[in-house]
């Protein structure tokens, strides 16, 4: 039996033995050298240590777009002033009069110097980091030495958030041992806090899988130190996730029949649930949780859509019953889509928006927990997010079947794989901003292609010349020359084709993030089976980190695996 299938535990117990060193705390602040100064209103001003440290957070970000945003500046200045001495508060009253440029330059130079270190110096730094990793980066869990994911506490700094987050620029405080709850085995060696400190609390809770936790001060959410994705515990959890999605495959037709019936229900609440479920199933929307206003960026999911987020078009671009979605989803990524829906869905939506203001909820009688309770009744372990995993994985499998040509070379097969992966990323709306280096690297590739084209044209000329010569002389030497020239031409044409594939792939991929779905939504066994079946090395699909995370799948899946 493989280590993935060893020893299931009962009653919510996740482990019997857990021993670790506790988190690694980031080093304390080192004051700036005397000659690196902060200026206020054009005059140098010596800051107290705490105030100086926070000033460096802002200084480091001077060339970042964040520091140009008013909300970031206001939040930063407000939090910074709270940490100042009364004398400093008296003087520093206007952010515009603060000059951080000298501090900024100091950190830029320091960074450059680190990059320019000789090889042996870099090696020494790497060895120091490895030593910390060895000491703090592993734990003993049920007799196995397992790697820990994030064993360091997050350094203090300014909160960034994603999208237009209302709290950006606020001060993220330093995590101290006094903030940290330790979780370990009752009979293990309890980790020692750093000298002169003590832990907030030590727990022995074997129904959870975290090793340490603390509350971060900005969102007031709990942060955890967890095991690395490659660990047995995480691998099992990952595998279970895809097994639940595979079970959905057997009942999904029943669920679809049910929600279609509910579109005509006498209860408006059931109709809303049925339409939301249709969106979650058909469009792979996230369910969307209820959240506090003003606490987070204004982002929504399916259940929290407002009337202003959709427009209904009886006719549009030659299609009927078109719903036009436009809203900010998770991480403030815009979701924009025009979808032709079934007539009953359209009629229900017209009913749901009737007599409502733009800011009213579209599904005013629906909560995510009401939806999930219903799904749990339909299938054990089913929640809205399982649909996303299921639809992503099934799409990858179907697209791979449709797109892969067994006759293609590896480059051709990889293009097909990436296209299948892109179909999933588009379904899940995984976007990225076009990389800054995109135009440059595309131009370099295009220049290579142009040069290769020229070589092909020259080779074609050569073949023609050789053929003419053979026509004239009919001798064996001339015939061999024709073959030689043809061979060269074929090789150059193959190289050109490969480059063209690369360019196509790059262009199609510039605004799409493939990694998110690969890591979180696609059953890795589908990819492993595809690689085995078509003779593509697994390294061409999964990088080292992904191969570690998906060790369970590489272990388990043969070429005949069906999701």
């Amino acid at each position: 039996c493989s280590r993935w299938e060893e020893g299931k535990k009962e009653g919510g117990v996740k482990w019997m033995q857990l021993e670790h060193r506790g988190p690694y705390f980031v080093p304390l602040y080192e004051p700036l050298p005397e000659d690196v100064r902060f200026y206020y209103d054009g005059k140098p001003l010596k800051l107290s240590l705490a105030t100086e440290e926070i000033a460096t957070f802002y200084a480091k970000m001077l060339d970042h777009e964040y520091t140009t945003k008013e909300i970031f500046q206001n939040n930063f200045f407000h939090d910074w002033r709270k940490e100042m001495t009364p004398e400093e508060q008296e003087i520093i009253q206007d952010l515009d009069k603060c000059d951080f440029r000298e501090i900024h330059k100091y950190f830029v130079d320091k960074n450059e110097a680190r990059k320019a270190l000789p090889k042996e110096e870099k090696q020494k730094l790497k060895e120091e980091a490895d030593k910390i990793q060895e000491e703090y980066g592993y734990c003993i869990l049920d007799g196995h030495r397992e790697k820990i994911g994030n064993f360091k506490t997050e350094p203090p700094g300014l909160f960034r958030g994603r999208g237009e987050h209302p709290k950006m620029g606020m001060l993220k405080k330093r995590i101290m041992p006094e903030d940290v709850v330790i979780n370990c085995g009752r009979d293990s060696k309890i980790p020692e806090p750093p000298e002169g400190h003590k832990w907030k609390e030590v727990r022995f809770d074997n129904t959870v899988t975290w090793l340490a936790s603390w509350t971060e001060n900005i969102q007031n959410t709990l942060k955890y130190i967890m095991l690395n994705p490659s660990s047995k515990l995480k691998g099992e959890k990952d595998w279970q996730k895809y097994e639940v999605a595979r079970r959905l495959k057997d009942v999904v037709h029943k669920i679809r029949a049910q929600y279609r019936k509910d579109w005509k229900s006498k209860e408006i609440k059931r109709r809303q649930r049925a339409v939301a479920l249709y969106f979650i199933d058909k469009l792979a929307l996230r369910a969307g949780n209820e959240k506090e206003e003003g606490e987070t960026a204004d982002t929504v999911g399916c259940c929290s859509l407002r009337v202003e987020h959709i427009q209904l078009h009886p006719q549009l671009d030659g299609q009927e019953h078109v719903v036009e979605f436009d809203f900010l989803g998770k991480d403030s990524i815009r979701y924009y889509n025009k979808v032709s829906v079934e007539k009953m869905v359209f009629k229900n939506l017209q009913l749901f928006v009737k007599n409502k203001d733009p800011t009213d909820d579209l599904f005013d009688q629906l909560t995510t927990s009401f939806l999930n309770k219903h799904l749990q009744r339909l299938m054990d372990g089913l929640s809205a997010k399982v649909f996303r995993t299921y639809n992503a994985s099934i799409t990858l499998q179907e697209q791979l079947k449709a797109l892969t040509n067994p006759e293609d070379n590896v480059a051709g097969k990889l293009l097909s794989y990436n296209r299948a992966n892109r179909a999933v990323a588009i379904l899940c709306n995984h976007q990225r901003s076009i990389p800054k280096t995109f135009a440059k690297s595309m131009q370099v590739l295009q220049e290579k292609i142009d040069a290769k084209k020229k070589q092909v044209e020259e080779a074609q000329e050569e073949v023609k010349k050789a053929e003419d010569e053979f026509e004239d002389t009919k001798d064996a030497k001339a015939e061999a020359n024709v073959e030689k020239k043809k061979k060269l031409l074929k090789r150059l044409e193959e190289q050109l084709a490969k480059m063209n594939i690369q360019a196509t792939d790059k262009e199609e991929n510039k605004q799409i993030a493939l990694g998110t779905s690969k890591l979180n939504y696609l059953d890795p066994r589908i990819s492993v089976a595809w690689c085995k079946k078509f003779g593509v090395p697994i390294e061409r699909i999964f990088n080292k980190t992904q191969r570690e995370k998906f060790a369970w799948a590489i272990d388990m899946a043969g070429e005949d695996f069906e999701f």
Side-chain angles (χ1 to χ4, degrees):
C1 126
S2 77
R3 76 178 190 130
W4 307 108
E5 301 173 70
E6 163 195 306
K8 275 266 160 271
K9 300 182 183 60
E10 291 306 308
V13 169
K14 304 290 199 307
W15 47 266
M16 294 315 231
Q17 176 207 15
L18 175 61
E19 187 167 307
H20 58 91
R21 284 288 313 260
Y24 176 79
F25 291 89
V26 289
L28 293 173
Y29 176 64
E30 284 182 27
L32 293 169
E34 287 298 322
D35 57 344
V36 177
R37 287 167 308 201
F38 166 77
Y39 294 84
Y40 188 74
D41 209 2
K43 301 182 197 64
L45 178 62
K46 181 85 183 123
L47 300 173
S48 66
L49 207 57
T51 308
E52 179 186 280
E53 179 179 13
I54 299 165
T56 65
F57 300 155
Y58 194 84
K60 285 176 186 173
M61 291 179 71
L62 276 192
D63 50 10
H64 212 292
E65 188 193 353
Y66 277 111
T67 48
T68 62
K69 295 183 179 179
E70 195 177 333
I71 184 162
F72 189 95
Q73 296 172 352
N74 292 345
N75 284 338
F76 160 72
F77 198 60
H78 174 261
D79 278 7
W80 188 32
R81 280 183 56 81
K82 279 198 298 205
E83 305 297 320
M84 291 178 185
T85 63
E87 296 81 62
E88 288 169 334
Q89 284 174 345
E90 197 59 39
I91 304 168
I92 303 173
Q93 304 212 7
D94 182 353
L95 183 60
D96 290 333
K97 292 184 178 171
C98 298
D99 180 353
F100 301 94
R101 284 175 305 184
E102 215 169 272
I103 304 175
H104 174 75
K105 185 179 177 320
Y106 168 72
F107 284 107
V108 170
D109 293 346
K110 204 170 155 175
N111 227 356
E112 292 303 316
R114 205 174 59 232
K115 282 187 199 154
L117 281 178
K119 211 164 159 187
E120 44 278 0
E121 288 290 320
K122 277 188 183 159
Q123 185 54 37
K124 224 163 85 184
L125 288 176
K126 186 180 176 310
E127 279 163 16
E128 281 166 25
D130 289 348
K131 206 175 132 200
I132 293 171
Q133 166 87 43
E134 272 304 305
E135 195 173 332
Y136 289 89
Y138 292 90
C139 67
I140 304 291
L141 184 124
D142 292 345
H144 291 278
R145 182 170 187 258
E146 296 277 17
K147 199 170 175 184
I148 299 171
N150 50 334
F151 61 91
K152 296 181 175 178
T153 58
E154 287 177 26
L158 303 180
F159 179 71
R160 300 185 180 198
R162 290 171 170 157
E164 294 301 313
H165 203 291
K167 296 189 167 186
M168 64 166 82
M170 286 170 80
L171 176 63
K172 212 166 77 175
K173 295 201 156 87
R174 182 179 290 276
I175 307 299
M176 298 307 266
E178 285 69 15
D179 303 317
V180 175
V181 177
I182 293 288
N183 189 32
C184 59
R186 197 173 283 279
D187 41 13
S188 72
K189 184 172 178 299
I190 292 170
E192 294 279 330
E195 207 167 319
H197 290 278
K198 49 182 191 295
W199 303 121
K200 180 178 180 180
E201 185 192 334
V202 177
R203 265 183 221 177
F204 313 109
D205 181 356
N206 65 1
T207 63
V208 296
T209 59
W210 51 267
L211 285 63
S213 80
W214 61 86
T215 304
E216 55 87 33
N217 65 296
I218 288 175
Q219 314 264 45
N220 268 322
T221 53
L222 281 164
K223 294 266 181 180
Y224 298 99
I225 287 185
M226 300 274 201
L227 288 179
N228 183 286
S230 67
S231 62
K232 175 171 181 274
L233 212 77
K234 288 282 193 203
E236 261 170 22
K237 209 172 158 189
D238 213 29
W239 171 32
Q240 285 327 120
K241 172 174 90 177
Y242 293 112
E243 287 303 302
V244 172
R246 285 176 87 191
R247 290 207 329 263
L248 174 57
K249 193 178 65 173
D250 303 325
V251 295
V252 76
H253 57 279
K254 284 203 318 225
I255 293 174
R256 286 171 178 160
Q258 170 75 48
Y259 70 56
R260 302 172 82 90
K261 212 173 79 189
D262 282 348
W263 292 340
K264 303 186 182 112
S265 167
K266 291 198 171 46
E267 277 182 82
I268 194 95
K269 192 170 179 175
R270 285 181 86 127
R271 286 197 186 197
Q272 290 191 357
R273 185 177 70 193
V275 171
L277 195 46
Y278 169 79
F279 286 161
I280 284 167
D281 181 19
K282 187 176 154 78
L283 303 173
L285 296 188
R286 291 186 183 84
N289 292 321
E290 302 89 60
K291 28 184 228 178
E292 300 303 309
E293 280 199 19
E295 282 297 300
T296 50
D298 175 29
T299 62
V300 297
C302 186
C303 298
S304 45
L305 284 169
R306 298 192 291 270
V307 173
E308 62 193 323
H309 294 137
I310 65 163
Q311 280 188 311
L312 302 173
H313 308 279
Q315 229 99 36
L316 187 72
D317 307 336
Q319 290 183 303
E320 25 184 48
H321 309 129
V322 176
V323 183
E324 184 177 358
F325 292 88
D326 194 352
F327 63 89
L328 293 182
K330 182 179 172 192
D331 296 342
S332 297
I333 299 285
R334 182 180 177 205
Y335 182 89
Y336 181 77
N337 199 359
K338 290 189 280 222
V339 194
S340 169
V341 300
E342 305 199 23
K343 189 174 173 185
M344 268 317 291
V345 172
F346 196 79
K347 282 189 153 168
N348 271 311
L349 289 167
Q350 287 175 313
L351 177 72
F352 301 161
V353 300
K354 214 169 157 184
N355 302 329
K356 281 188 189 169
D357 291 331
T359 56
D360 288 342
D361 285 340
L362 176 63
F363 302 118
D364 52 297
Q365 314 219 345
L366 183 65
T367 63
T368 307
S369 50
F370 174 69
L371 175 70
N372 280 333
K373 276 195 188 103
H374 169 67
L375 292 173
Q376 175 64 32
R377 282 198 298 274
L378 297 176
M379 180 191 114
D380 184 37
L382 184 59
S383 66
K385 66 194 252 188
V386 180
F387 278 91
R388 228 167 123 80
T389 308
Y390 162 77
N391 279 315
S393 289
I394 213 89
T395 301
L396 180 74
Q397 183 165 283
E398 285 166 359
Q399 291 286 317
L400 285 175
K401 273 189 187 146
L403 297 173
T404 311
N405 174 2
E407 306 301 306
D408 274 353
N409 58 14
V410 170
K413 286 174 185 163
L414 282 171
L415 177 65
S416 299
Y417 181 88
N418 282 346
R419 282 187 164 153
N421 192 344
R422 267 198 284 284
V424 174
I426 289 165
L427 172 78
C428 294
N429 199 39
H430 291 150
Q431 307 174 13
R432 62 173 183 174
S433 40
I434 299 178
K436 290 188 176 69
T437 55
F438 179 79
K440 181 89 187 92
S441 64
M442 198 63 177
Q443 185 192 341
V444 169
L445 187 54
Q446 199 49 56
E447 282 163 6
K448 281 186 184 164
I449 289 174
D450 293 341
K452 192 61 75 182
K453 272 188 187 150
K454 223 168 151 173
Q455 285 181 304
V456 169
E457 281 161 20
E458 284 164 9
Q460 282 166 336
E461 291 290 313
E462 293 279 318
V463 169
K464 201 171 171 316
K465 247 166 56 187
E467 282 177 340
D468 291 347
E469 195 178 310
F470 176 55
E471 279 296 309
D472 293 346
T473 61
K474 293 276 189 264
D475 73 354
K477 196 174 167 195
E479 190 175 11
N481 190 34
V482 171
E483 283 312 304
K484 194 175 130 194
K485 298 288 185 201
K486 276 190 174 165
K487 240 186 184 154
L488 176 68
L489 174 63
K490 187 168 177 249
R491 204 173 79 226
L492 288 168
E493 282 175 337
E494 276 172 4
Q495 289 170 343
L496 177 63
K498 195 172 169 180
M499 283 179 176
N500 278 323
I501 286 176
Q502 242 185 320
T504 309
D505 204 23
K506 207 176 171 66
E507 176 60 44
E508 288 177 7
N509 220 27
K510 67 178 175 194
Q511 278 180 290
I512 294 170
L514 297 183
T516 315
S517 55
K518 211 181 250 189
L519 225 47
N520 301 312
Y521 292 107
L522 297 173
D523 188 329
R525 290 170 296 186
I526 300 168
S527 301
V528 172
W530 180 84
C531 283
K532 287 181 180 170
K533 189 171 176 177
F534 293 107
V536 176
I538 197 98
E539 317 46 85
R540 300 299 295 273
I541 299 289
F542 292 145
N543 65 27
K544 185 169 178 286
T545 312
Q546 291 162 341
R547 291 198 300 276
E548 284 174 3
K549 175 174 179 172
F550 298 140
W552 61 271
I554 295 170
D555 233 17
M556 264 183 211
E559 61 176 73
D560 300 326
F561 173 81
E562 283 277 330
F563 178 71

